[in-house]
Amino acid sequence: MRMMKSVRSKIILLIVTAVIVATSITGLIGIISFGRAIDANSVQAMNLTCSEKAQELNNVLGRIEQSVEILSEYTTDNLDSIDKLSEDSEYLEDYTADLEELGLTIANATDGAVAVYARFSPDITTGTDGFFKVKDSSTGKFEDEPLTDLSQYSPEDMEHVGWYYIPVNAGKAMWLQPYDNKNIDIYMLSYVIPMYKDGELFGIVGMDIDFAYIAELVDDIHIYETGHAFIMDEDFTIVHSVHYAPGTVGKDLSESLAEAEASELVSMDTVFNHELDGIRKKIVFQQLDNGMILAVTVPVSEIDATKNRLILQMVGLAFLVMLLFVLLGLVISKNIVKPLKALNEAAKEIAKGNLEVSLTCKSRDEVGTLAKSLQETAYQLKQRIDYINNLAYMDKLTDTKNNTAYLLEITGIEKDIQNHGAEFTVFVIDVNGLKFINDTYGHSYGNELIIAVSQVAAEVFGRENVYRIGGDEFVVLLPSAADDRSEELEELFEKKLKAYSGEVSPSAAMGWAVYQKDSDDNYGKVFERADERMYGKKLEMKSRGETSGVRQ
């Protein structure tokens, strides 16, 4: 009898020991695996946020560049000759009036614009010819401002005429670094294009942007609980931040900036460490098209909080599993071995991230209950992960895909282009009159307007193909390339938009472009054609007075 008990005790001891060891190893593997996964996800989340917001800022800068380029092309194409500009005062006056009219139209259609101008070279005219229109902060209208006499200043006098000679000396279109314009008391960014006729310089055109418009977009960037963004110039000097003083950085942050300056900055798996006011933080960077640099920083404690919670949950779960198996081992010795092996294997699969495990234990005791609990845990984890993924890639307002999903889709398209297997059409949709609706009727009607356009787009193109990439901008990516089909879809979209019967009467401009295998070596070229077509359509609709409204 004692031998029987001794053998049973050994079996129980063996079972208990095996369970403790297996659960401990599985739990440790799970903790390490989840810890690494969360660290990797935090880096990806920070870089995706930084990349996404950098793209939004680049879109703003791109629209400004496009506006100035339109003015530049018109200025050059409509000039008869430099000699006539220099010698015929009546022609000079008429030509300047035409440029001023177009400049006002473009500036009024460009968000953030505070000034627009065209200046002629002092070597050709008197030095005070051209125009300079500045937006009045009280009326919102562009008014004439006195023109600086270029002939009275040396080209080396950057303080007074650097805005003219910097791009002229460079011989190309360029962004000027942010500066405080004392004449109109605005901290601004400027985009300037030198103008040439038959290879000879005859002046510049440019537009000034209120830097507060850019700063507002940067201040609206948030991640985790207190993670935020700031912006620097191309020399890594802080230009704007709600936490750091412009032009100054801490020692540790300076080291991170120096390390980032020596790297490519754009790697989606790169993150830098720094410490400020005794708080350890992680930081990522993304360079903007105008040379400035966007940075996103998050306290390490906030990143680790999620990991610590999961580790604690896993430790608690592991403890409960071990306790349950010990209790079961005291009651059952022989019949528990096989179910334990199955549960142990399942736990390992779950720890590896395989949530499709299937437990077939049909016993009605504690082992069967545990099997069901683990199955439910795997199911709940999978549901939660699917839910989180849905939140990450869907726009909350419209239930269409968001900009993060759009960026990932573009990555796939770029690979297809490189592999010569791409075939797609890009539709760019921009909602008309959103700002007016928001300002006049409130943001609830503005949201209704966005939802209305998204519903029509989803109905025409399929919700799975619609991406909301900005507040009032959508992109549709269709896995086909046909001009006639695209025209039919455009007509159908416009027809359904006009027939919409909700509280708002939506209006939107659309442009599309089909991928051309022989000429398009990247996605951006196709998008630019679609965006230019949309922008032209938007100007046509504006000239006809077509915009969104609210039904009373």
Side-chain angles (χ1 to χ4, degrees), residues 118-135:
R119 296 299 308 275
F120 301 121
S121 170
D123 297 331
I124 296 174
T125 64
T126 64
T128 58
D129 289 317
F131 73 89
F132 181 34
K133 292 285 188 177
V134 177
K135 178 181 284 189

Side-chain angles (χ1 to χ4, degrees), residues 119-122 150 161-169 201-204:
R119 296 299 308 275
F120 301 121
S121 170
L150 295 173
V161 292
W163 53 270
Y164 178 88
Y165 285 105
I166 290 176
V168 165
N169 292 336
L201 174 76
F202 68 94
I204 65 165

Side-chain angles (χ1 to χ4, degrees), residues 1-267:
M1 189 68 177
R2 289 181 179 178
M3 183 176 296
M4 293 294 292
K5 289 183 177 179
S6 176
V7 171
R8 183 181 181 187
S9 298
K10 289 181 180 179
I11 294 175
I12 293 174
L13 179 60
L14 178 62
I15 293 174
V16 171
T17 303
V19 169
I20 292 175
V21 172
T23 307
S24 298
I25 294 175
T26 303
L28 181 60
I29 293 174
I31 289 173
I32 295 174
S33 299
F34 273 110
R36 290 176 178 174
I38 291 173
D39 286 339
N41 287 339
S42 67
V43 172
Q44 186 180 41
M46 291 180 65
N47 276 288
L48 279 174
T49 298
C50 191
S51 177
E52 176 182 348
K53 298 305 180 180
Q55 184 61 48
E56 291 180 9
L57 290 171
N58 283 335
N59 289 339
V60 172
L61 298 174
R63 287 192 287 271
I64 295 167
E65 291 177 1
Q66 187 179 52
S67 296
V68 181
E69 287 166 0
I70 291 173
L71 180 58
S72 174
E73 291 176 2
Y74 181 90
T75 301
T76 304
D77 294 342
N78 287 272
L79 178 64
D80 290 346
S81 69
I82 293 180
D83 291 338
K84 190 171 183 179
L85 185 69
S86 173
E87 300 168 0
D88 189 340
S89 60
E90 183 177 352
Y91 174 79
L92 172 63
E93 182 178 351
D94 293 339
Y95 178 67
T96 302
D98 288 342
L99 299 185
E100 181 176 336
E101 181 178 356
L102 177 60
L104 283 174
T105 300
I106 294 174
N108 281 312
T110 303
D111 293 338
V114 293
V116 62
Y117 44 89
R119 296 299 308 275
F120 301 121
S121 170
D123 297 331
I124 296 174
T125 64
T126 64
T128 58
D129 289 317
F131 73 89
F132 181 34
K133 292 285 188 177
V134 177
K135 178 181 284 189
D136 188 291
S137 59
S138 59
T139 65
K141 295 182 178 179
F142 286 85
E143 306 290 349
D144 286 311
E145 281 289 324
L147 299 178
T148 301
D149 190 346
L150 295 173
S151 64
Q152 299 301 312
Y153 295 93
S154 167
E156 287 73 32
D157 190 347
M158 294 294 104
E159 181 178 357
H160 292 93
V161 292
W163 53 270
Y164 178 88
Y165 285 105
I166 290 176
V168 165
N169 292 336
K172 62 181 182 180
M174 63 184 302
W175 283 95
L176 303 182
Q177 291 298 311
Y179 64 98
D180 192 5
N181 190 316
K182 299 297 184 181
N183 294 326
I184 58 178
D185 195 26
I186 294 178
Y187 192 60
M188 62 174 56
L189 276 171
S190 298
Y191 185 67
V192 184
I193 301 179
M195 298 181 295
Y196 295 87
K197 186 73 172 182
D198 299 326
E200 182 179 355
L201 174 76
F202 68 94
I204 65 165
V205 293
M207 184 175 291
D208 297 332
I209 306 301
D210 190 347
F211 190 79
Y213 178 68
I214 302 297
E216 183 177 353
L217 297 177
V218 174
D219 293 344
D220 195 43
I221 299 174
H222 302 286
I223 184 172
Y224 289 91
E225 294 182 9
T226 62
H228 63 279
F230 58 91
I231 200 165
M232 301 172 287
D233 63 21
E234 58 189 8
D235 296 321
F236 281 81
T237 300
I238 291 180
V239 174
H240 171 76
S241 171
V242 295
H243 295 277
Y244 310 134
T248 61
V249 293
K251 177 178 180 297
D252 293 327
L253 182 55
S254 298
E255 293 174 355
S256 290
L257 299 182
E259 184 181 0
E261 189 174 20
S263 71
E264 292 296 327
L265 285 181
V266 297
S267 175

Side-chain angles (χ1 to χ4, degrees), residues 48 51-52 55 402-412 467:
L48 279 174
S51 177
E52 176 182 348
Q55 184 61 48
N402 61 16
N403 198 51
T404 300
Y406 173 68
L407 293 175
L408 292 176
E409 184 67 18
I410 289 177
T411 300
Y467 302 80

